[in-house]
């Protein structure tokens, strides 16, 4: 029996990839849709945006995944199942959020 291929974190290459989306506005949802089309392993597991209308639209698009809605982007960083994050927030927040993602191993 052939062993399954794994990535650098030891995750099976054919397993589900849980992502968190930070910034669910037009740009964030557009990138999210393109990512989801490219790889069927990707699952949106968490969403954060300070704008409820953006969250509602993202929830409509990701209903099949039942993502958790977070009240702060840091909650996504604390979720052990999240393997990486899509950061599509306002540019002024990118540095802080990217550093937090790296520090959390995302």
């Amino acid at each position: 029996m052939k062993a399954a291929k794994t990535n650098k974190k030891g995750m099976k290459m054919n397993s589900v990839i849980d992502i968190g989306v930070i910034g669910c506005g037009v740009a964030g949802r557009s990138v999210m849709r393109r990512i989801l089309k490219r790889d069927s392993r990707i699952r949106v597991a968490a969403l954060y945006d300070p704008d409820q209308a953006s969250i509602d639209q993202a929830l409509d698009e990701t209903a099949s995944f039942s993502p958790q809605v977070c009240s702060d982007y840091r909650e996504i960083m604390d979720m052990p199942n999240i393997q990486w994050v899509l950061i599509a927030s306002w540019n002024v927040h990118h540095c802080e959020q990217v550093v937090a993602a790296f520090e959390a191993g995302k």
Side-chain angles (χ1 to χ4, degrees):
M1 182 180 227
K2 192 174 183 180
K5 290 183 180 181
T6 59
N7 66 10
K8 291 179 182 178
K9 290 187 175 183
M11 187 179 88
K12 291 180 183 175
M13 296 299 285
N14 62 350
S15 60
V16 172
I17 301 167
D18 281 338
I19 70 168
V21 179
I22 299 172
C24 300
V26 173
R29 291 191 320 273
S30 175
V31 173
M32 180 184 69
R33 283 191 297 272
R34 284 184 273 156
I35 290 169
L36 290 170
K37 283 182 184 178
R38 289 188 145 236
D39 194 330
S40 63
R41 297 173 301 160
I42 295 174
R43 183 179 78 163
V44 177
L47 300 168
Y48 167 73
D49 196 291
D51 179 58
Q52 187 61 47
S54 294
I55 287 289
D56 292 343
Q57 289 175 321
L59 282 170
D60 287 344
E61 293 185 33
T62 60
S64 64
F65 302 118
S66 300
Q68 177 178 335
V69 175
C70 299
S71 60
D72 189 296
Y73 79 88
R74 291 173 196 89
E75 290 176 49
I76 293 175
M77 304 309 173
D78 292 336
M79 295 172 69
N81 62 308
I82 300 293
Q83 292 152 310
W84 61 270
V85 294
L86 163 62
I87 297 174
S89 57
W90 289 58
N91 292 347
V92 69
H93 302 294
H94 285 182
C95 182
E96 178 183 334
Q97 292 169 346
V98 168
V99 168
F102 281 130
E103 288 177 346
K106 309 296 183 194

